[in-house]
Amino acid sequence: MSVKSVLVIRCGALGDLVYATSVIDAMKLQFGDDTIIDFVSTPGTGTLFNKDSRVNRVYPLKHKKMPIWLSSQKKDIIKASQEKTYDLLINFESGKQFKSLVESINAVKKTGYFFTDTSIPQDIEHMVDITKLSFKNIVSEEIFNKSFPKLIGTSQDELKEKFNLSNNYIIISPSNSHQKRNILNYRAWQNSSWIELIQKLSQEIEVVIVGNKGENEFFNLLKPYPKNVVDLVAKTSLVDLVGVIDNAVGLIATDTGTAHMASAVNTEVFALIGPTPAEVTGPYQSPTNKVHIISANLPCSPCYKTEVMKNCKDNICMKSITTEQVYNSIKSANLL
């Protein structure tokens, strides 16, 4: 088939969109570098493509459940497809709230949820590989097998000027998406351990701390930072953060978006994992990156979204990961 324009729909959280970026190079390799690729995504996560020349346009979709007749954003997407029909629509969204939208978009061929068989083979576990199934019938086996998540961020020169970063730094990303919920944050490592790790690493390498806006209350608990620490919490745009991660020697985080970003720019990532299944939702291991899963490997893990997790009152799987264990993993990787 001849494809010169593609519309991709992925409106989940940051990690979900990172997973879906595997489609970009797959389309370019299969149909040519001049293939136009547009995305539909949530307004915040869509800025991930601000410096990515591979992506032509991003349509923001804030209210996913709003019916078409009430949604100006959905109308804009449909109108654009009516003015110039897409050759291919790839839909990564399984929610029924997307059905009327994908059916109303003009495209010569549609694939993914609602259009093709999306049953998951037993030998496929990771969400990246599951996501890729939506375009498996569109590309050759060779291209499918070498298509992985990839991000492009702000250039190193621009970042050095903006944030005064050295040429050799490691990133600590201690928060996660559950930080502000009024429940036990099952993915979190204890603050005392983060403080100890920051202190230990900063004696050997520049440490960059990253985090989102609105998380100051959490980060204040980790302060004051020692010397040789650069505080970039709430100071980077999403595309700047991609660049900062891209130019780091490594990143330490829990199971959260920055870990997925690191694996997508081939920055060595050290992921502290407890309740979540690393082989399903952890940072993706490709042939070109290095992912270190650091876990206490307790018999009750993983327990995410099970009765075991609901009954857990002490977050023991994360508390059992020691600072020494994390430090030794980084040291063994020859990053210090």
Side-chain angles (χ1 to χ4, degrees):
M1 62 181 295
S2 176
V3 172
K4 286 304 172 187
S5 61
V6 182
L7 179 64
V8 180
I9 299 179
R10 192 53 169 134
C11 295
L14 177 60
D16 299 323
L17 187 56
V18 174
Y19 297 156
T21 60
S22 57
V23 75
I24 302 174
D25 281 347
M27 295 298 104
K28 296 282 188 178
L29 288 170
Q30 182 70 38
F31 302 114
D33 198 50
D34 59 343
T35 304
I36 295 170
I37 300 176
D38 294 344
F39 266 80
V40 177
S41 64
T42 55
T45 58
T47 62
L48 199 63
F49 299 122
N50 280 2
K51 296 290 178 76
D52 194 338
S53 61
R54 300 172 304 162
V55 176
N56 173 63
R57 179 176 180 177
V58 179
Y59 296 95
L61 183 57
K62 185 176 182 179
H63 302 291
K64 293 170 279 190
K65 294 183 178 180
M66 186 177 290
I68 292 171
W69 65 277
L70 284 176
S71 172
S72 59
Q73 292 181 330
K74 288 184 178 180
K75 288 179 183 177
D76 287 343
I77 298 164
I78 295 167
K79 182 181 178 182
S81 75
Q82 291 172 338
E83 291 174 351
K84 191 167 185 179
T85 301
Y86 283 98
D87 293 323
L88 177 63
L89 166 67
I90 302 176
N91 176 42
F92 290 121
E93 294 295 339
S94 60
K96 61 182 181 181
Q97 66 269 32
F98 288 93
K99 198 169 190 301
S100 61
L101 174 62
V102 297
E103 288 177 344
S104 300
I105 291 171
N106 281 11
V108 176
K109 182 174 178 60
K110 300 180 181 182
T111 188
Y113 286 98
F114 309 127
F115 304 109
T116 52
D117 178 17
T118 51
S119 57
I120 302 168
Q122 288 187 340
D123 61 336
I124 291 182
E125 291 186 293
H126 200 280
M127 284 305 300
V128 167
D129 296 316
I130 292 171
T131 299
K132 286 173 62 177
L133 292 175
S134 290
F135 62 84
K136 186 175 183 179
N137 64 325
I138 299 297
V139 299
S140 71
E141 184 176 357
E142 180 187 3
I143 289 173
F144 180 81
N145 290 333
K146 65 181 182 183
S147 299
F148 306 107
K150 178 181 175 181
L151 299 176
I152 296 175
T154 305
S155 70
Q156 184 177 11
D157 289 343
E158 189 176 338
L159 291 170
K160 284 178 71 174
E161 183 177 341
K162 187 180 290 189
F163 300 121
N164 196 30
L165 295 173
S166 72
N167 292 322
N168 189 49
Y169 60 88
I170 196 165
I171 296 174
I172 289 183
S173 176
S175 62
N176 59 53
S177 58
H178 292 190
Q179 206 66 54
K180 294 191 288 184
R181 299 186 183 185
N182 295 320
I183 57 173
L184 175 63
N185 187 344
Y186 293 99
R187 300 183 188 184
W189 202 33
Q190 58 267 41
N191 292 349
S192 58
S193 294
W194 283 121
I195 292 169
E196 186 180 354
L197 184 65
I198 292 169
Q199 178 68 44
K200 201 171 181 69
L201 289 178
S202 65
Q203 294 173 3
E204 301 189 50
I205 191 172
E206 183 173 86
V207 173
V208 174
I209 311 287
V210 299
N212 297 322
K213 294 178 181 178
E215 294 182 333
N216 290 335
E217 186 177 343
F218 164 73
F219 281 96
N220 285 338
L221 299 175
L222 306 182
K223 295 178 180 179
Y225 297 133
K227 293 181 179 179
N228 210 25
V229 171
V230 178
D231 181 3
L232 292 188
V233 175
K235 296 176 183 177
T236 61
S237 64
L238 192 54
V239 74
D240 280 351
L241 181 58
V242 172
V244 170
I245 294 173
D246 188 10
N247 293 296
V249 298
L251 176 140
I252 307 108
T254 56
D255 189 358
T256 191
T258 50
H260 302 304
M261 292 164 71
S263 68
V265 294
N266 293 342
T267 291
E268 205 152 343
V269 55
F270 301 82
L272 282 58
I273 305 289
T276 54
E279 69 280 2
V280 178
T281 60
Y284 186 69
Q285 177 72 67
S286 78
T288 58
N289 66 13
K290 293 182 180 178
V291 174
H292 306 268
I293 302 298
I294 303 174
S295 172
N297 295 313
L298 299 186
C300 55
S301 298
C303 64
Y304 194 62
K305 292 185 177 180
T306 68
E307 288 300 316
V308 173
M309 190 180 87
K310 291 178 183 177
N311 294 326
C312 177
K313 305 299 180 185
D314 197 30
N315 207 26
I316 190 171
C317 61
M318 294 300 290
K319 286 184 177 180
S320 297
I321 299 173
T322 67
T323 306
E324 201 66 24
Q325 184 181 357
V326 179
Y327 175 81
N328 287 340
S329 181
I330 298 166
K331 193 79 171 178
S332 297
N334 297 317
L335 298 189
L336 303 176

